[in-house]
């Protein structure tokens, strides 16, 4: 572990420029007393803006809990979470919902789309929920990037799994959020479709300047990121920049389960 | 498999309860009705048994004929009492009178409403304790013509005390008499809500019948003489056409007449219980369809693991049995409560029923369980079969999408069933088939439209929901899409409401058409200005003393004044009502629309007949018809005229002389009045009001009030039916709530996703709420269409019987749609709350 590059513990809750989201001593415990399980153990981490970060770790390592907490979907037992300079842990349901709608994009593993809405309506869903008009130019660019221009009026049931995930990526991008969270976004896809999605995500960061944090257990998927954070037993145990699938796999082996 | 069913049930206790509720309410109403009528029946049985306990034999006039108002019989001579008393087997005999007498309260208002409610009667206070069903509660027996005993019920109602003087309306005019005693009837405050005024034998004959005439004689047998032997002895001495019955026969007859009355009442209420169960069956069907669809993977897995189709079918049906059992047993319990609720509802509508300890018969228990179980299981058969058809491979696949709206099979079957129903209704209404084919036809129409539902649901819901995306944005759009995404479910849910709305719309249209028809008939035939209505209808209900019309006729402010009287009679072998009046004066105010012959000089043995009767019986002017009044035998009458105005002039019309010669009690039911030339309406009315002062039951009405009064009864019945149909509508709303809850459960992940990407709780509630509104409106629209169709048909069918104007009450129907929409909002409250409180993370990661 001596070779890893662990971030210095930040004690100052104020967010620094260039950081899109931050967890500060984030702790999540289930149950109490002897049976208590610690899912997150005082994790402190910054997710830098305009960067593609992957979170890895064996099942039960707390990677999903970390992402869900930072994304405002789960609450912490103690600690703080910031999106931009907003203290997520202090928000009530209404504000939290608005935060997710306006500042966060989501790509889930499956069931990403509302079956009764067509592709375009799904892409613009967070915007229309907010009662906002999409930025036409940006929307065109996003739709162009994910290659959905001729599928916009299709309902999810008329799209392939890969196409559905592309719609999900487009939706996450459409509102120009401060940060996009992906929860195993390619977990249900074959490798070719998965690669396509990961490529879109990488381009979204490199070409469109977006910020993405992705949970995955697939070293190949993680290799698309610029930075990989490894979690085990609720703690950050390692970090890797400019990963390749081999290096990621190597690291995983080191503290394998 | 059986164990799986039980586990399913245990895991979904709440759903079991809500699903059961749909049937439970219907069962409760059914059980409540049976308990109520059994309870009333048994307390009346006891009442009559006690009342007749001391009577060995009853002597009365033979029934001349029977009509809607019961058996009509003439009176007997009071002198028979002496003849009977002289017989060796007789211990005592006492005369009995049962004729119109109505108490007036301290404010000058008549007590009771014999035209609509229980009768108001007068009789003889019998000195014989054994023979009289009445017993003094306080005071003493009457002595002389100006004293009376009244029943405890009336005394309590009006606050009368012993020693007080009160007015009694009788055929001999208004009598003032002192209340000297208050009596109970066989231990009850009054005989089933009827009021009683009891005089001495002399006074009773003077005021209520005529000297020397009584209605019956009660006889007690000497010891050692059997009732039957005594009856034989008496039969030998009484004149021809006298009825002699034993006490047991009288009791049986009294009890039977109550049973007959209750049977109608029972059937009337049971119709609504059956409607409620019918609506409930849609909800069971729908709930099970949704459950089966949601569980299709589980069932497929069972099949893949080796369960047979029969086992899957059985497991679904077992769940239906459990639902049915819960519904039946809980419904039965609730029914006891419903019985007392119904009693107060009827009490509030002015129909008093005697109390008594609650009677829960085996029949009630059996019928309730069969109904609840039957409806639940029968409604679950189709869904269960569908569950059994799930192929094992479906375990590996995603749940199939709903394709029910595709193909031609559904529309063809739906249209065929609807058509069949319409045809059945037509044979009932136009072909004279009666009520049974109409009811069956209505059920088929509902089923047919319900089968068509999935085809209709999508286009109609789209139209109904069209403004939503503009009004409510994305939540509105989602509401519309959710309402149309599963047309089978939406339409089955809406169908339950459709039934209630259709029936409400139907009776509303029927009532409004009836009112319009009555108003039209009044406009057409009544040319006068004022009507004085006694509110009385038929025999024993009394009316206005003829002196009132005579008094009016002398007033200078008034022009023509003419009264009509009505009596039961038998014409051409059919029991009916005959109207009488002075044709000369009456025709100045009432346009009979004579089509043949003339009413002008209707002779003593002549009769006028309404066209619709003439047509039905094939009679024409000059024909001879046999007419029988209660007092005299059959007489041959010649038809002197036929006329159109059956509503105001009655179906049969005779001259006043004929009436006076054949009917014992002379009462005017209505007096028609025209003002004198040059007198304004207000002045004329003042004059009539002044004259009416001494006639408490006189209700002075102008033309508008008269129209309204003619249809006042309709509003009362309408309100009662609304209240009873409210149950069916409420059950339909439970169905909407249930469907929404099941849909929300099914859409957990979707809702989680929506919340994750930024839908607020308020927006989610809006989505659920407007989905419910669309479903309700769909039900309301379909219901209105069916109700209007039913209404139009019945008006067409009855156009010959006075219902000649079809009136669509647009405002009321509009209000109904609005209420349906609001009801949808109410039904959505709990499901919407549940949806909005869902934990986002749990929802989105749910299986």
């Amino acid at each position: 572990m001596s070779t890893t590059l662990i971030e210095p513990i930040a004690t100052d809750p104020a967010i620094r420029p260039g950081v899109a989201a931050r967890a500060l001593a984030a702790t999540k415990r289930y149950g109490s007393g002897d049976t208590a399980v610690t899912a997150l153990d005082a994790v402190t981490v910054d997710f830098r803006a305009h960067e593609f970060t992957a979170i890895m770790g064996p099942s039960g390592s707390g990677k999903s809990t970390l992402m869900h907490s930072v994304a405002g979907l789960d609450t912490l037992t103690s600690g703080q979470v910031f999106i931009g300079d907003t203290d997520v842990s202090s928000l009530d349901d209404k504000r939290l919902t608005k935060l997710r709608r306006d500042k966060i994009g989501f790509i889930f593993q499956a069931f990403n789309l509302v079956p009764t809405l067509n592709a375009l309506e799904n892409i613009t869903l967070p915007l229309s929920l907010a009662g906002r008009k999409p930025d036409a130019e940006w929307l065109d660019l996003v739709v162009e990037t994910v290659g959905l221009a001729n599928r916009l009026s299709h309902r999810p049931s008329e799209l392939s799994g890969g196409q559905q995930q592309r719609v999900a990526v487009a939706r996450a991008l459409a509102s120009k959020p401060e940060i996009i969270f992906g929860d195993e976004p390619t977990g249900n896809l074959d490798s070719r479709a998965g690669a396509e999605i990961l490529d879109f995500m990488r381009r979204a960061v490199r070409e469109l300047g977006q910020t993405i944090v992705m949970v995955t257990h697939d070293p190949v998927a993680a290799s698309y990121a610029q930075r990989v954070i490894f979690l085990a037993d609720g703690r950050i145990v390692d970090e890797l920049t400019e990963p390749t699938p081999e290096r990621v796999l190597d690291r995983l082996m080191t503290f394998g389960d | 498999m059986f164990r799986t069913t039980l586990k399913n049930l245990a895991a979904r206790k709440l759903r079991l309860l809500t699903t059961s509720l749909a049937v439970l309410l219907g069962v409760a109403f059914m059980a409540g009705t049976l308990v109520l009528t059994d309870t009333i029946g048994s307390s009346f049985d006891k009442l009559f048994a006690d009342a007749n306990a001391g009577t060995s034999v009853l002597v009365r006039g033979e029934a001349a004929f029977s009509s809607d108002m019961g058996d009509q019989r003439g009176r007997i001579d009071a002198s028979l009492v002496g003849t009977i008393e002289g017989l060796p087997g007789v211990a005592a005999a006492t005369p009995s009178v049962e004729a119109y007498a109505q108490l007036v309260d301290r404010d000058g208002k008549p007590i009771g409403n014999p035209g609509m409610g229980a009768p108001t009667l007068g009789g003889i206070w019998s000195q014989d304790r054994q023979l009289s069903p009445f017993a003094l509660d306080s005071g003493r027996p009457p002595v002389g013509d100006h004293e009376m005993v009244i029943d405890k019920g009336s005394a309590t109602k009006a606050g009368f005390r012993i020693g007080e003087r009160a007015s009694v309306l009788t055929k001999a005019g208004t009598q003032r008499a002192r209340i000297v005693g208050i009596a109970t009837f066989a231990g009850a405050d009054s005989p089933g809500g009827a009021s009683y005024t009891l005089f001495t034998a002399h006074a009773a004959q003077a005021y209520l019948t005529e000297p020397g005439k009584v209605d019956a004689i009660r006889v007690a047998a000497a010891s050692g003489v059997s009732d039957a032997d005594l009856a034989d002895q008496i039969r030998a001495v009484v004149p021809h056409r006298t009825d002699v019955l034993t006490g047991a026969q009288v009791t049986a007859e009294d009890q039977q007449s109550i049973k007959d009355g209750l049977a109608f009442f029972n059937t009337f209420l049971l119709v609504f219980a059956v409607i409620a169960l019918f609506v409930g069956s849609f909800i069971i069907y729908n709930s099970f369809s949704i459950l089966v669809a949601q569980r299709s993977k589980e069932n497929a897995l069972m099949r893949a693991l080796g369960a047979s189709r029969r086992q899957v079918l059985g497991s679904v049906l077992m769940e239906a049995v459990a639902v049915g059992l819960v519904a039946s047993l809980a419904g039965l319990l609730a029914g006891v409560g419903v019985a007392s609720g119904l009693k107060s509802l009827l009490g509030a509508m002015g129909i008093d029923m005697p109390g008594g300890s609650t009677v829960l018969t085996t029949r009630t228990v059996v019928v309730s369980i069969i109904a609840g179980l039957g409806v639940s299981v029968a409604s679950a058969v189709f869904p269960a079969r569908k569950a059994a058809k799930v192929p094992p491979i479906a375990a590996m696949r995603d749940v199939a999408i709903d394709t029910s709206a595709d193909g031609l099979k559904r529309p063809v079957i739906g249209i065929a069933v609807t058509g069949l129903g319409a045809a059945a209704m037509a044979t009932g209404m136009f072909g004279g088939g009666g009520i049974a084919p109409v009811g069956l036809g209505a059920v088929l129409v509902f089923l047919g439209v319900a089968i068509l539902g999935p085809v209709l649901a999508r286009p109609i819901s789209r139209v109904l929901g069209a403004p939503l995306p503009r009004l409510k944005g994305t939540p509105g759009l989602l509401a519309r899409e959710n309402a149309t995404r599963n047309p089978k479910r939406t339409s089955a849910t809406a169908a339950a409401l459709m039934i209630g709305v259709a029936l409400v719309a139907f009776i509303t249209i029927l009532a409004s058409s009836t009112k319009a028809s009555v108003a039209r008939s009044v406009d057409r035939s009544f040319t006068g200005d004022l009507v004085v209505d006694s509110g009385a209808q038929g025999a024993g209900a009394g009316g206005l003393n003829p002196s009132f019309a005579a008094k009016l006729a002398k007033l200078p402010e008034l022009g023509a004044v003419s009264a009509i009287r009505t009596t039961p009679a038998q014409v051409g072998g059919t029991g009916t009502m005959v109207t009488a009046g002075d044709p000369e004066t009456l025709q100045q105010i009432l346009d009979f629309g004579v089509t043949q012959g003339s009413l002008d000089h209707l002779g003593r043995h002549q009769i006028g007949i309404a066209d619709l009767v003439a047509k039905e019986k094939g009679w024409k002017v000059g024909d001879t018809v046999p007419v029988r009044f209660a007092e005299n035998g059959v007489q041959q009458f010649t038809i002197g005229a036929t006329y159109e105005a059956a509503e105001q002039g009655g179906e049969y019309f005779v001259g006043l002389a004929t009436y006076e010669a054949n009917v014992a009690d002379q009462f005017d039911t209505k007096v028609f009045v025209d003002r004198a030339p040059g007198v304004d309406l207000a002045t004329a009315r003042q004059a009539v009001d002044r004259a009416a002062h001494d006639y408490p039951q006189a209700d002075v009405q102008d033309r508008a009030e008269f129209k309204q009064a003619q249809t006042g009864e309709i509003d009362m019945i309408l309100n009662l039916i609304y209240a009873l149909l409210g149950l069916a509508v409420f059950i339909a709303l439970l169905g909407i709530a249930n469907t929404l809850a099941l849909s929300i459960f099914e859409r957990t992940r979707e809702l989680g996703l929506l919340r994750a990407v930024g839908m607020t709780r308020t927006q989610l509630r809006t989505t659920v709420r407007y989905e419910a509104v669309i479903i309700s409106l769909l039900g309301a629209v379909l219901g209105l269409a069916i109700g209007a169709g039913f209404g139009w048909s019945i008006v067409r069918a009855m156009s010959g019987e006075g219902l000649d104007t079809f009136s669509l009450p647009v405002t009321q129907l509009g209000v109904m749609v609005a209420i349906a929409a609001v009801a949808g909002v109410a039904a959505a409250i709990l499901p919407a709350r549940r949806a909005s409180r869902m934990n986002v993370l749990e929802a989105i990661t749910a299986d």
Side-chain angles (χ1 to χ4, degrees):
Chain A
M1 288 215 189
S2 55
T3 57
T4 55
L5 225 168
I6 294 180
E7 288 265 323
I9 301 291
T11 45
D12 173 15
I15 203 126
R16 285 165 298 178
V19 174
R22 150 180 297 181
L24 203 61
T27 302
K28 178 80 178 178
R29 261 189 296 274
Y30 295 103
S32 58
D34 292 345
T35 58
V37 176
T38 306
L40 273 187
D41 192 0
V43 171
T44 294
V45 63
D46 280 356
F47 297 105
R48 290 189 284 267
H50 320 301
E51 195 174 63
F52 189 173
T53 310
I55 306 177
M56 292 207 77
S59 22
S61 62
K63 58 184 191 299
S64 287
T65 308
L66 175 61
M67 193 207 81
H68 289 147
S69 309
V70 179
L73 288 172
D74 206 351
T75 51
L76 292 172
T77 311
S78 68
Q80 279 173 297
V81 165
F82 293 86
I83 296 287
D85 48 11
T86 310
D87 182 354
V88 175
S89 29
S90 72
L91 300 180
D92 61 11
D93 181 79
K94 202 168 181 176
R95 293 207 176 94
L96 210 50
T97 306
K98 288 205 171 112
L99 176 85
R100 290 197 302 264
R101 187 183 75 193
D102 300 335
K103 299 198 167 170
I104 299 175
F106 283 103
I107 310 164
F108 296 104
Q109 179 175 4
F111 211 91
N112 251 308
L113 307 181
V114 178
T116 49
L117 300 179
N118 66 27
L120 181 64
E121 286 165 339
N122 264 295
I123 292 170
T124 56
L125 181 60
L127 288 165
S128 60
L129 283 172
R132 290 209 314 259
K133 282 256 175 296
D135 174 344
E137 224 171 289
W138 173 254
L139 190 64
D140 283 349
L141 182 64
V142 167
V143 168
E144 192 69 24
T145 309
V146 296
L148 280 168
N150 57 350
R151 290 269 185 279
L152 291 179
S153 60
H154 288 52
R155 294 234 173 153
S157 59
E158 298 160 335
L159 299 173
S160 71
Q163 286 168 335
Q164 289 187 27
Q165 285 308 78
R166 282 195 261 161
V167 174
V169 172
R171 181 193 58 212
L173 291 167
S175 58
K176 284 193 209 168
E178 294 195 4
I179 188 163
I180 295 169
F181 291 100
D183 191 355
E184 307 251 17
T186 58
N188 267 15
L189 300 178
D190 61 50
S191 53
R192 209 178 60 97
E196 231 172 55
I197 294 297
L198 290 162
D199 189 48
F200 290 137
M201 291 169 75
R202 185 160 61 189
R203 282 172 62 195
V205 173
R206 286 190 185 159
E207 296 169 23
L208 307 176
Q210 297 299 298
T211 307
I212 299 182
V213 174
M214 170 180 76
V215 166
T216 183
H217 63 267
D218 174 11
V220 179
S223 72
Y224 280 78
Q226 291 153 305
R227 173 185 175 215
V228 182
I229 292 168
F230 294 92
L231 256 78
D233 298 327
R235 290 194 194 130
I236 293 180
V237 290
D238 203 353
E239 187 179 327
L240 194 63
T241 44
E242 300 307 324
T244 63
E246 295 73 28
R247 289 180 62 203
V248 173
L249 201 57
D250 271 359
R251 289 293 162 93
L252 280 177
M253 297 300 222
T254 350
F255 42 79
D257 49 336
Chain B
M1 210 58 199
F2 179 65
R3 191 166 297 166
T4 335
T5 306
L6 287 183
K7 279 196 176 145
N8 268 334
L9 285 174
R12 292 150 181 139
K13 270 175 285 201
L14 189 69
R15 190 163 63 214
L16 175 69
L17 207 71
T18 55
T19 312
S20 300
L21 202 56
V23 178
L24 189 157
L25 292 173
V27 173
F29 195 82
M30 177 171 269
T33 300
L34 295 174
V35 167
L36 178 65
T37 48
D38 286 344
T39 303
I40 294 172
S42 101
S43 37
F44 268 117
D45 281 356
K46 187 174 177 307
L47 191 72
F48 288 126
D50 291 352
N52 296 321
T55 302
S56 308
V57 169
L58 184 89
V59 181
R60 67 181 179 200
E62 194 182 71
F65 60 91
S66 193
S67 78
D68 289 348
M69 320 283 298
D71 285 344
Q72 303 299 321
R73 49 187 95 241
R75 293 191 167 122
I76 54 174
D77 285 332
S79 60
L80 270 177
V81 175
T83 315
I84 291 169
E85 271 175 336
L87 292 171
V90 173
T94 185
S96 164
V97 159
E98 200 176 275
Y100 170 76
Q102 193 168 10
L103 276 164
V104 180
D105 69 15
R106 289 175 186 150
D107 302 326
K109 291 212 181 64
I111 298 171
N113 181 359
M116 304 255 303
T120 62
L121 300 168
I124 297 172
W125 175 261
S126 169
Q127 302 290 0
D128 191 300
R129 298 272 314 263
Q130 190 196 343
L131 283 173
S132 173
F134 288 97
L136 279 174
D137 185 62
S138 59
R140 58 167 176 83
V143 179
D145 289 353
H146 301 287
E147 288 186 353
M148 62 183 168
V149 170
I150 64 172
D151 67 283
K152 196 176 174 188
S154 303
T156 313
K157 214 182 289 174
F160 282 136
R161 274 192 218 98
I162 286 176
E164 189 170 347
R165 283 163 63 86
S167 293
V168 187
L169 308 172
T170 71
K171 75 179 249 199
T174 306
Q175 312 300 330
R176 292 285 288 173
R178 191 181 300 283
I179 299 167
V180 295
I182 290 171
T184 53
F185 179 90
D189 283 358
S190 103
S195 85
Y196 254 93
T197 319
L198 302 157
F199 297 95
T200 61
H202 178 264
Q205 288 170 53
Y207 303 153
L208 308 177
T209 59
E210 59 196 282
K213 289 283 185 185
V214 293
D215 286 301
I217 298 167
R218 286 178 180 269
V219 187
S223 62
V225 180
S226 78
D227 290 359
D229 288 347
L230 180 63
D232 286 340
Q233 277 186 32
I234 294 172
R235 265 187 211 109
V237 297
V238 296
H240 190 53
R241 293 206 295 167
T242 307
D243 234 5
V244 179
L245 295 85
T246 62
Q249 283 171 320
V250 177
T251 302
E253 196 184 285
D254 287 345
Q255 290 173 345
Q256 189 58 45
S257 82
I258 285 293
K259 269 199 191 77
D260 293 344
L262 279 176
F264 169 79
F265 173 70
N266 197 28
T267 308
F268 174 77
L269 288 179
L270 282 181
V271 164
F272 292 93
V274 169
I275 291 170
L277 284 170
F278 184 51
V279 171
S281 74
F282 276 76
I283 292 165
I284 297 291
Y285 166 81
N286 204 25
S287 299
F288 274 86
S289 295
I290 298 172
L291 292 183
V292 162
Q294 288 177 358
R295 230 182 279 160
S296 65
K297 264 199 160 162
E298 196 180 313
N299 283 330
L301 184 64
M302 287 291 187
R303 295 273 286 120
L305 294 178
S308 69
R309 284 193 171 189
R310 183 180 286 273
Q311 280 173 312
V312 173
L313 184 90
S315 84
V316 177
L317 286 183
M318 274 308 295
E319 199 162 332
V321 167
V323 166
L325 275 179
V326 169
S328 307
L329 297 175
L332 197 56
L333 276 180
V336 178
V338 168
S340 67
L342 275 175
K343 193 163 174 264
S344 6
L345 174 71
L346 292 165
M349 324 244 19
I351 308 166
D352 275 328
M353 296 287 178
S357 57
T358 302
V359 178
L360 183 65
T361 60
T362 322
R363 176 204 56 169
T364 304
V365 176
V366 170
V367 167
S368 300
I369 289 178
I370 288 177
L373 212 53
V375 165
S376 305
V377 175
S379 314
V381 164
F382 274 103
R385 280 169 46 117
K386 205 166 172 192
K389 279 188 189 156
V390 169
I393 188 71
M396 276 56 110
R397 279 203 314 243
D398 266 341
V399 177
I401 42 162
D402 179 31
T403 53
S404 53
D406 303 336
L408 269 177
K409 203 168 138 198
R410 182 173 284 277
V412 167
I413 295 175
I415 289 169
V417 174
T418 311
L420 203 65
M425 288 181 78
T427 50
M429 289 200 222
F430 299 96
I435 191 78
V438 175
L440 181 72
V443 169
L444 285 177
V445 168
F446 285 134
L447 285 178
V449 176
I451 293 170
L452 279 175
V455 184
L456 302 172
R458 205 168 262 173
I460 297 179
S461 304
R462 278 213 197 289
V463 172
L464 291 171
L468 277 180
R470 228 175 320 116
L471 291 175
K472 296 284 164 189
T474 306
L477 171 72
L478 287 168
R480 189 190 70 190
E481 294 304 316
N482 282 341
T484 52
R485 74 197 283 181
N486 198 330
K488 209 171 180 180
R489 187 180 299 181
T490 300
S491 72
T493 310
L497 185 62
M498 166 187 90
I499 296 166
V501 172
L503 295 172
V504 168
F506 164 67
I507 61 148
T508 308
I509 291 170
L510 180 60
S512 126
S513 297
T514 309
K515 283 182 185 173
S517 302
V518 166
R520 212 172 120 190
S521 97
V522 170
D523 283 339
R524 215 166 22 202
S525 45
F526 178 49
T527 57
D529 299 306
L530 296 166
V531 179
V532 185
D533 194 350
S534 68
Q537 294 173 336
L544 291 159
N545 193 291
S547 63
F548 176 66
K551 192 169 162 189
L552 288 186
K554 290 192 193 112
L555 295 176
E557 294 92 338
L558 305 180
V561 171
S562 197
I564 55 166
R565 298 172 192 177
T566 50
T567 183
Q570 194 183 39
V571 182
T574 316
T576 182
M577 294 298 286
V578 169
T579 304
D582 170 31
E584 206 179 310
T585 52
L586 195 56
Q587 286 187 97
Q588 293 173 28
I589 327 173
L590 214 56
D591 180 1
F592 274 77
V594 173
T595 46
Q596 237 196 324
S598 165
L599 288 171
D600 294 350
H601 305 286
L602 216 52
R604 177 63 187 72
H605 285 94
Q606 277 189 306
I607 188 165
I609 290 181
D611 282 335
L612 67 100
V613 179
K615 208 161 93 189
E616 189 192 315
K617 305 263 187 182
W619 291 335
K620 58 185 189 307
V621 169
D623 285 358
T624 306
V625 291
V627 177
R628 186 202 289 266
F629 294 97
E631 295 286 331
N632 304 321
V634 178
Q635 304 163 56
Q636 297 300 323
F637 277 52
T638 314
I639 297 172
T642 56
Y643 54 84
E644 285 172 349
E647 290 77 43
Q648 305 308 323
E651 294 185 348
Y652 301 92
F653 185 85
V654 296
L656 222 43
T658 309
Y659 190 92
E660 282 167 354
N662 290 292
V663 180
D665 302 338
Q666 302 294 320
F667 289 108
D668 288 342
T669 34
K670 285 190 188 84
V671 183
F672 296 101
V673 177
D674 204 1
R675 64 200 143 126
V679 175
D680 64 40
L681 187 61
T683 313
R685 181 167 189 152
Q686 261 175 16
V688 176
D689 279 337
R690 254 196 317 273
H693 187 75
D694 297 330
Y695 298 85
Q697 74 273 61
D699 184 7
V700 183
Q701 300 158 350
D702 62 21
R703 296 179 60 94
E705 288 165 338
F706 177 53
K707 286 180 198 169
Q708 214 169 18
Q710 299 256 81
T711 53
E713 220 171 301
I714 294 175
D715 283 330
M716 200 194 91
I717 296 169
L718 200 60
N719 286 335
L720 178 67
I721 294 179
Y722 281 156
L724 294 171
L725 283 177
L727 180 69
V729 173
F730 179 71
I731 293 173
L733 294 183
L734 283 181
I736 293 178
N738 206 22
T739 299
L740 286 176
L742 289 166
S743 294
I744 282 164
F745 173 73
E746 188 175 304
R747 296 176 198 153
T748 301
R749 289 189 72 169
E750 182 181 331
L751 300 181
L753 171 73
L754 282 165
R755 293 275 289 123
V757 302
M759 183 177 244
T760 62
R761 284 183 170 160
T762 315
Q763 286 175 320
L764 183 50
R765 277 198 293 266
T766 304
T767 300
V768 177
R769 186 181 310 131
Y770 281 95
E771 180 179 355
V773 169
I774 291 176
I775 296 174
S776 320
L777 287 180
L778 175 65
V781 166
L782 291 176
L784 281 189
I786 295 176
F790 286 1
W792 182 80
S793 321
I794 197 141
V795 170
R796 284 297 302 270
M798 293 178 66
S799 60
E801 285 147 67
L803 189 65
D804 52 4
T805 314
F806 177 70
S807 155
L808 209 56
V810 179
T811 319
Q812 273 164 288
L813 298 181
V815 167
M816 248 173 247
V817 173
I819 290 175
V822 173
V825 171
I829 290 175
L830 286 178
R833 177 150 45 176
R834 206 164 128 194
S836 70
R837 295 213 173 147
M838 223 173 238
N839 180 299
V840 180
L841 187 60
E842 279 169 20
I844 199 152
T845 52
D847 291 321

